[in-house]
Amino acid sequence: MVENDVKNRALSEEELQDLVASSDAGARNPAGMVGLLLATVAVVWSLFQILLASPLANYVLPGDLINNSRQIHLAFAIFLAFMAYPALKSSPRHYIPIQDWIFALLGVFTALYGLIFYQKVVDAGGLADDVDKWFAFLGLLILFEGARRALGPAMALIATIFLAYVFFGSSEWVTDVIRWKGASLKKAMSHMWITSEGVFGIALGVSTKFVFLFVLFGALLDKAGAGNYFIKMAFGALGHLKGGPAKAAVVGSAATGLISGSSIANVVTTGTFTIPLMKRVGFSSEKAGAVEVASSVNGQIMPPVMGAAAFLMVEYVGISYVEVITHAFLPATISYIALVYIVHLEAVKNNMPTLGNRVVSMGKTIGGMAAFFFGFAALCYGVQYPVGWVVSALPEGAGLVMSLLIFIAYVALLWLASSVPDLEPDDPNAEEVELPVVGEIYKSGLYFLLPIVVLVYFLMIEQKSPGLSAFWATSLLFVILLTQRPLKAMFRGESDLFNACKAGVVDLTHGLIDGARNMIGIGLATATAGVIVGTVTLTGVGQVMADLVELLSGGNLILMLVMVGLLSLVLGMGLPTTANYIVVSSLMAGVVVELGAQSGLIVPLIAVHLFVFYFGIMADVTPPVGLASFAAAAVSGGDAIKTGFVAFFYSLRTVALPFVFIFNTDLLLIDVTWTQGVLVFITASIAILVFTAGTMGWFLTKSRLYESIALILVAFVLFRPDFVMDRIQPPFTQAAPADVVTVLGEASEGDELRLTVSGPDYDTGEIKETTLVLPVGAGSGEERLTDTGLLLMIEDGLAKMDEPAFGSPFSSSLANFDFYGDEPVQITEVQAPVHQMAKEIVFVPALIFLLLIALMQRARMSREGVPA
């Protein structure tokens, strides 16, 4: 229905909000006692999650509730899903049919089955009996129906296919490549519902512990007025530039994307204001929608929330939250830099007019924004010093003192905000567009930064858990929502304090309701994705996927990565960010690691997870399913399919970056020093701008084809200096496999040797290869080899291997080799590191070449009389 509408007209504000509600929070809003009941359930869910994340949880909540919090989380999500989401488009919107009540209550019972019969399940060791299996099966059916309503058919369909594979994967009509032995209903239901391997696995646990608090934090921050403040500030800073509305859309979407878990909500929230203004300065409906789509979807790759994927990566990759967002930061930042440059080039190419009558230099704008971001970062970092002084001076009462100081800072900033009028949303269709003046409006929302400072401080400086960090930031938002209106009224000398206090309570209540309703889809997505994860662990289909990709790619590494990217894109279609990351990482992450190792590419697991995540979110952009593109077209009135294709073109850098950081992990700031990190940031920013200029066909002026190709080559060299340096000076020297002990003895401590291991596959008997990286420690060659756990026998010039001891460093890497077959497992290649010139030397000729292209274009502009 939406597709047909957007081809003909832009939707009204009411229809747009209904579009967001139907996709993110449910389209049903019954009135009367039923509506009050649903609001109460949503508020209770939010309060339960806040209490669960608080330091008081172990003192207030019974142990059974804490241990079974995933079941309670899912029970709330299922109940509200059947209450808020109609079964069909023709289903009633203003009351709840009796069958939905039945489904909802059955869903609550089956979700809480493990809690209600906790002792029985524990005594059985997590194995389902004949009664358990039928309730588990009923629970899965209800879960799939709830997911279909809240997330669309794609998620439920994919989960159903995987569940069918569990039961029927042993059938003769299933091809040999993916056939497995199959499972009984009792075994499958034990795995999927009774244990923590399936529905109640890691993904639902992350949703319960972390994601809810961050979604609630975003909802409360938006309810407080921060969303409008961010957009106003972005327009005040950038709206007067050429293509200013588009640049403001990018920055505003980046700011809202920090706290938003939904591409569609991001599109509609910022797009209702930005898209009409983009069209006003000359962007077509499709291009205006595409800019909003590209910038909104990019919000999902921007730390700290990343559509909840950041918290899942902590569990799946096994590294800290701080490490995850550190690795994700640079690609996301330069991707946004490139998007700002894309809209700038579009504006320059089409000589678009500017909005308003203010003239501000680009230098001042960039300098002011840089000063703000660096100042904010310095504030977040510098807070630790006064906190440290307070803790050392008052170790017992430090918490109380810090709370008081934060409240004083809040009151002072609120007093500053009361000196200027409250910000009201602008009308983008007004005859005269008055751009906000940053110097006049910045005071009105500075206090919104306090909860973000608290969140960043606890996450990055104190390195507390994401759940506890979000709890303290959310607690501050409770205070802000309850007090900002009455305190402003008091500072302004207004007398109506009662209504101001009442409005604060209403704002907080609506924020709690919005947070809960926004979590319905995420809760069901993580639970349903648990079926897919459970299928992978039960059947070993992940290894099958690796074999399939290897067969289709013919062992070619680049082709393999392309295929994994396409599979991630297809699997992500129609799924929300959180769900598609779980699906594609469960199936594809291991494929990249294994096949990369077989090709001699050692890829850190975080790089692989970010690779599949980037391609998964591109499904929100790409037709025919791109939900964000349809939402943007609903705002702009343009063609949805064309909007999607233009948005995909604008998102080319989001497609290219994963391939770059798979081969050059410096972009993820892995094992780099501060100085190296700064250099990587500068060169990567230049590279992404040059790549953008090459793909857009415009640098200083319209580029000729050979200039565009040259620009893309320069970008490649800046992104991959190691590729060029390795051709000039190989990083390794070859040694005979039989001499591996000697080579280890001669290597310097801290070096890394690469060994290529070849042998028969345990399952198929076919010869396969993998690459091991041996860190060189202290001691002799024999001692260093012993430390690795590898067992070698040198016979007839061959370095044959025995199975490494269980738990040794490479036991898991070599687990799929058959050490007892007729063909030996052996080392076929030894690569010892050699001294290589710094790869950064390559930047010099690349930048000189870039300067030559710039001089050529400037000379052509002079000849043609084009103004610089």
Side-chain angles (χ1 to χ4, degrees):
M1 181 177 74
V2 171
E3 291 91 330
N4 293 332
D5 281 347
V6 299
K7 287 180 181 177
N8 301 317
R9 62 181 179 87
L11 301 188
S12 67
E13 177 66 23
E14 185 178 345
E15 290 170 316
L16 288 171
Q17 293 308 318
D18 183 63
L19 172 63
V20 176
S22 61
S23 63
D24 284 346
R28 188 185 277 154
N29 270 305
M33 292 300 296
V34 174
L36 181 61
L37 171 66
L38 298 190
T40 303
V41 171
V43 170
V44 169
W45 188 15
S46 291
L47 294 176
F48 168 74
Q49 295 287 165
I50 292 168
L51 185 58
L52 186 66
S54 76
L56 299 175
N58 292 325
Y59 303 101
V60 177
L61 296 176
D64 285 350
L65 288 185
I66 296 175
N67 294 334
N68 293 280
S69 56
R70 299 179 187 184
Q71 283 89 336
I72 298 170
H73 183 79
L74 181 60
F76 274 114
I78 287 180
F79 180 81
L80 289 175
F82 283 98
M83 297 292 99
Y85 290 89
L88 303 167
K89 289 181 180 178
S90 57
S91 299
R93 295 290 193 273
H94 303 297
Y95 71 92
I96 301 170
I98 185 65
Q99 65 269 21
D100 283 0
W101 283 102
I102 294 172
F103 281 133
L105 295 174
L106 278 175
V108 170
F109 177 76
T110 53
L112 297 178
Y113 189 86
L115 173 61
I116 296 169
F117 300 102
Y118 181 72
Q119 195 58 49
K120 172 189 172 185
V121 171
V122 170
D123 293 342
L127 298 175
D129 59 22
D130 288 331
V131 175
D132 297 339
K133 71 180 182 183
W134 290 113
F135 276 109
F137 188 66
L138 175 64
L140 281 178
L141 293 179
I142 293 175
L143 173 63
F144 288 0
E145 168 58 13
R148 182 195 69 79
R149 294 186 182 200
L151 306 168
M155 187 79 213
L157 182 61
I158 292 173
T160 302
I161 292 170
F162 274 82
L163 190 62
Y165 174 68
V166 170
F167 294 128
F168 305 111
S170 59
S171 303
E172 293 183 0
W173 48 267
V174 176
T175 179
D176 291 341
V177 178
I178 61 172
R179 188 181 301 169
W180 83 296
K181 62 182 180 180
S184 65
L185 180 63
K186 186 180 293 187
K187 181 178 180 180
M189 292 304 102
S190 294
H191 194 81
M192 295 296 180
W193 198 266
I194 304 300
T195 71
S196 60
E197 294 291 327
V199 168
F200 299 101
I202 289 174
L204 189 61
V206 169
S207 178
T208 305
K209 289 191 296 182
F210 306 142
V211 178
F212 192 105
L213 266 293
F214 277 84
V215 170
L216 180 61
F217 175 77
L220 292 175
L221 194 59
D222 186 61
K223 187 59 67 176
N228 185 45
Y229 176 70
F230 291 153
I231 294 173
K232 289 266 194 178
M233 287 290 287
F235 261 88
L238 299 167
H240 60 279
L241 301 175
K242 195 177 282 287
K247 291 170 183 172
V250 173
V251 175
S253 292
T256 54
L258 293 175
I259 56 175
S260 169
S262 168
S263 301
I264 297 170
N266 205 351
V267 165
V268 173
T269 301
T270 57
T272 49
F273 181 65
T274 60
I275 288 176
L277 289 179
M278 280 190 266
K279 291 169 66 176
R280 194 162 180 159
V281 297
F283 282 88
S284 67
S285 297
E286 288 75 21
K287 285 187 176 180
V291 169
E292 186 58 53
V293 169
S295 51
S296 295
V297 170
N298 257 38
Q300 307 299 291
I301 66 175
M302 178 63 76
V305 178
M306 296 167 61
F311 313 118
L312 290 161
M313 287 180 192
V314 170
E315 302 292 334
Y316 289 159
V317 181
I319 60 178
S320 71
Y321 176 78
V322 172
E323 289 177 289
V324 168
I325 60 176
T326 299
H327 299 323
F329 173 74
L330 183 54
T333 302
I334 64 174
S335 184
Y336 264 113
I337 290 172
L339 188 53
V340 172
Y341 189 46
I342 285 172
V343 297
H344 173 72
L345 291 179
E346 284 284 7
V348 171
K349 283 162 62 176
N350 296 288
N351 195 26
M352 293 181 182
T354 58
L355 281 176
N357 53 12
R358 284 193 295 125
V359 178
V360 181
S361 71
M362 176 69 85
K364 285 186 177 179
T365 299
I366 295 174
M369 293 183 67
F372 171 78
F373 285 115
F374 283 117
F376 182 69
L379 174 65
C380 294
Y381 181 78
V383 164
Q384 62 183 308
Y385 298 108
V387 171
W389 299 332
V390 171
V391 171
S392 60
L394 298 165
E396 296 297 325
L400 184 61
V401 172
M402 288 309 306
S403 299
L404 183 61
L405 290 175
I406 290 172
F407 185 74
I408 291 171
Y410 161 63
V411 171
L413 290 174
L414 199 63
W415 173 79
L416 191 66
S418 67
S419 65
V420 295
D422 291 337
L423 297 181
E424 297 293 336
D426 289 327
D427 179 8
N429 298 309
E431 287 187 18
E432 292 291 330
V433 177
E434 288 291 332
L435 292 176
V437 179
V438 171
E440 296 174 0
I441 67 168
Y442 78 95
K443 298 177 183 178
S444 64
L446 281 177
Y447 63 94
F448 293 135
L449 300 180
L450 273 178
I452 302 174
V453 170
V454 170
L455 178 65
V456 173
Y457 171 77
F458 277 105
L459 282 174
M460 305 295 292
I461 308 301
E462 291 285 339
Q463 297 199 10
K464 300 294 186 184
S465 73
L468 185 60
S469 303
F471 166 77
W472 289 117
T474 302
S475 300
L476 178 54
L477 274 172
F478 268 52
V479 175
I480 290 174
L481 280 162
L482 288 172
T483 63
Q484 64 172 346
R485 289 178 185 269
L487 284 177
K488 277 185 182 179
M490 190 170 64
F491 289 143
R492 289 168 177 166
E494 298 170 1
S495 57
D496 197 6
L497 291 180
F498 175 78
N499 284 330
C501 291
K502 181 180 175 182
V505 174
V506 170
D507 285 344
L508 176 60
T509 305
H510 285 170
L512 293 171
I513 294 170
D514 289 348
R517 291 191 70 147
N518 291 341
M519 269 303 299
I520 297 171
I522 296 176
L524 293 180
T526 51
T528 310
V531 174
I532 298 165
V533 177
T535 301
V536 173
T537 57
L538 180 63
T539 67
V541 72
Q543 181 60 44
V544 172
M545 294 297 292
D547 294 340
L548 181 62
V549 171
E550 182 181 19
L551 176 68
L552 295 175
S553 65
N556 182 282
L557 187 59
I558 297 295
L559 187 57
M560 180 268 290
L561 289 172
V562 170
M563 292 189 62
V564 169
L566 289 174
L567 280 169
S568 302
L569 190 65
V570 171
L571 288 170
M573 286 185 175
L575 304 184
T577 303
T578 310
N580 72 39
Y581 166 68
I582 298 169
V583 173
V584 298
S585 63
S586 301
L587 289 173
M588 298 281 96
V591 174
V592 179
V593 171
E594 181 176 341
L595 298 186
Q598 291 179 21
S599 302
L601 178 68
I602 307 300
V603 187
L605 194 55
I606 181 64
V608 179
H609 278 259
L610 286 171
F611 181 91
V612 296
F613 176 59
Y614 270 51
F615 276 95
I617 65 164
M618 286 304 296
D620 268 354
V621 176
T622 314
V625 182
L627 300 179
S629 296
F630 281 110
V635 178
S636 70
D639 181 86
I641 300 298
K642 189 175 178 182
T643 299
F645 280 118
V646 176
F648 182 80
F649 176 71
Y650 287 164
S651 301
L652 280 178
R653 81 253 179 259
T654 311
V655 176
L657 278 173
F659 287 96
V660 175
F661 61 62
I662 281 285
F663 290 98
N664 180 12
T665 55
D666 287 357
L667 278 175
L668 302 181
L669 303 179
I670 295 176
D671 297 329
V672 297
T673 63
W674 271 100
T675 52
Q676 289 173 324
V678 172
L679 181 61
V680 169
F681 177 78
I682 293 170
T683 54
S685 299
I686 296 171
I688 200 72
L689 294 174
V690 173
F691 175 80
T692 300
T695 54
M696 293 291 290
W698 193 284
F699 187 30
L700 301 183
T701 186
K702 184 176 181 180
S703 298
R704 291 170 178 167
L705 179 60
Y706 65 85
E707 290 174 333
S708 293
I709 295 172
L711 288 169
I712 293 173
L713 289 175
V714 169
F716 176 79
V717 173
L718 293 174
F719 273 134
R720 290 288 317 277
D722 56 310
F723 180 86
V724 179
M725 184 55 70
D726 289 351
R727 269 71 195 158
I728 299 171
Q729 192 178 23
F732 297 101
T733 182
Q734 301 291 332
D739 297 335
V740 64
V741 176
T742 304
V743 174
L744 268 173
E746 294 173 349
S748 301
E749 188 174 347
D751 282 348
E752 290 181 341
L753 262 66
R754 292 188 172 225
L755 307 183
T756 301
V757 177
S758 175
D761 184 270
Y762 187 82
D763 295 319
T764 65
E766 297 180 359
I767 300 299
K768 68 173 188 176
E769 290 186 345
T770 193
T771 301
L772 305 180
V773 177
L774 269 62
V776 178
S780 64
E782 289 81 1
E783 291 170 335
R784 290 169 170 176
L785 183 64
T786 301
D787 291 341
T788 66
L790 298 178
L791 304 175
L792 297 184
M793 298 173 293
I794 308 300
E795 296 180 357
D796 302 325
L798 300 178
K800 299 180 181 179
M801 304 181 70
D802 268 344
E803 185 173 12
F806 179 77
S808 59
F810 296 104
S811 59
S812 59
S813 303
L814 300 173
N816 291 324
F817 283 92
D818 184 0
F819 289 90
Y820 307 101
D822 296 333
E823 292 290 331
V825 179
Q826 59 181 314
I827 296 173
T828 57
E829 191 176 29
V830 176
Q831 295 181 318
V834 296
H835 175 72
Q836 189 184 46
M837 292 186 296
K839 61 186 178 183
E840 288 79 10
I841 293 173
V842 174
F843 293 150
V844 176
L847 293 173
I848 291 174
F849 193 48
L850 178 62
L851 179 61
L852 290 175
I853 298 172
L855 292 174
M856 286 172 54
Q857 291 208 353
R858 185 169 287 278
R860 190 163 71 249
M861 291 169 66
S862 298
R863 290 196 304 269
E864 296 173 356
V866 178

